[in-house]
Amino acid sequence: QMEYPYLCFLVTGGHTQIWEVQSPGIYKLHSTTVDDAAGEAFDKGARILGFSYPGGPEIEKYSLAGDPDKYKFPIPQVKSNPLNFSFSGLKTAVYYLVKNQEQNNQEFTNNVCAAFQNAVAETLINKCKKALSIHKLNQLVIGGGVAANQFLRDRLKAELKEIDLFFPKFERCTDNGAMIAITGFYRLNKNKFKTSINIKPRWNLSEI
């Protein structure tokens, strides 16, 4: 059972962030992406390989027959904040590898998918480890569309054995309606609803 505070790892097509959830409605942002989000990187990598949208499931499918150690993609680091994410360089590395490949066959595609997925997972897991250690927390909630990636789930379970991990069901990973509803439920129980509505296209969670 989750207890406050805990870390929430939000991994979607638009966000790659690590939040400290101190109580319902009280959040502190520890990490975000400086360019592409993880899900966006999957989609762009898939487009380079000629896959359809959404790209994450396609890359995951073809990676099953690939060798994750065949190609070494960069693990990006952000000097301004070691917890922040960056995936634009990884996407660029995939682009040039595919562009310069003389024989683009199925084996090549499978290996690129496996190595690319492995690099994304390695980046995500390393940042989670650092955040959990720095903030001395032992619970991690993973949400968002990329949380449906079984490879990422298995890696997190294998490498964070001392951490309590919480995953939504696969069918709930992209269900924003369910996430909004449960947030509303907790806020209603705390009588935290405001009488006026302010509309902002990009509203930071810590300001709500």
Side-chain angles (χ1 to χ4, degrees), residues 13 38-48 51-57 59 116:
E40 184 180 4
F42 270 121
D43 290 335
K44 289 181 177 179
R47 192 182 310 140
I48 292 169
F51 297 153
S52 59
Y53 178 88
I59 288 179
F116 177 73

Side-chain angles (χ1 to χ4, degrees), residues 113-124:
C113 287
F116 177 73
Q117 179 178 252
N118 188 62
V120 172
E122 192 76 18
T123 302
L124 298 176

Side-chain angles (χ1 to χ4, degrees), residues 181-197:
I182 194 64
T183 301
F185 170 77
Y186 285 121
R187 292 180 72 85
L188 179 63
N189 284 348
K190 294 282 186 178
N191 293 316
K192 280 195 160 186
F193 279 103
K194 297 180 180 179
T195 55
S196 62
I197 298 176

Side-chain angles (χ1 to χ4, degrees), residues 34-175:
V34 298
D35 42 54
D36 295 344
E40 184 180 4
F42 270 121
D43 290 335
K44 289 181 177 179
R47 192 182 310 140
I48 292 169
L49 291 165
F51 297 153
S52 59
Y53 178 88
E58 291 292 295
I59 288 179
E60 184 177 14
K61 179 176 69 175
Y62 287 102
S63 70
L64 293 173
D67 178 3
D69 297 318
K70 182 67 175 179
Y71 303 106
K72 296 296 182 184
F73 289 123
I75 304 297
Q77 300 296 327
V78 181
K79 292 182 179 179
S80 59
N81 181 353
L83 294 181
N84 277 350
F85 300 90
S86 172
F87 291 101
S88 62
L90 179 58
K91 172 199 66 184
T92 301
V94 173
Y95 170 78
Y96 282 109
L97 177 63
V98 173
K99 180 181 179 181
N100 295 328
Q101 177 69 14
E102 294 181 0
Q103 188 175 6
N104 195 339
N105 55 29
Q106 190 61 56
E107 182 181 4
F108 170 76
T109 299
N110 294 343
N111 289 335
V112 172
C113 287
F116 177 73
Q117 179 178 252
N118 188 62
V120 172
E122 192 76 18
T123 302
L124 298 176
I125 292 167
N126 286 345
K127 303 293 185 180
C128 281
K129 284 181 177 179
K130 288 182 181 179
L132 288 161
S133 176
I134 290 171
H135 300 288
K136 296 179 172 58
L137 296 171
N138 63 358
Q139 295 181 112
L140 181 66
V141 176
I142 301 93
V146 181
N149 183 288
Q150 186 63 56
F151 180 79
L152 176 61
R153 290 186 179 220
D154 291 342
R155 285 285 304 276
L156 283 165
K157 290 174 183 176
E159 298 194 31
L160 296 175
K161 292 180 180 179
E162 305 302 318
I163 302 298
D164 292 329
L165 300 175
F166 299 89
F167 297 95
K169 294 181 179 179
F170 286 104
E171 61 268 24
R172 293 283 182 247
C173 286
T174 57
D175 193 340

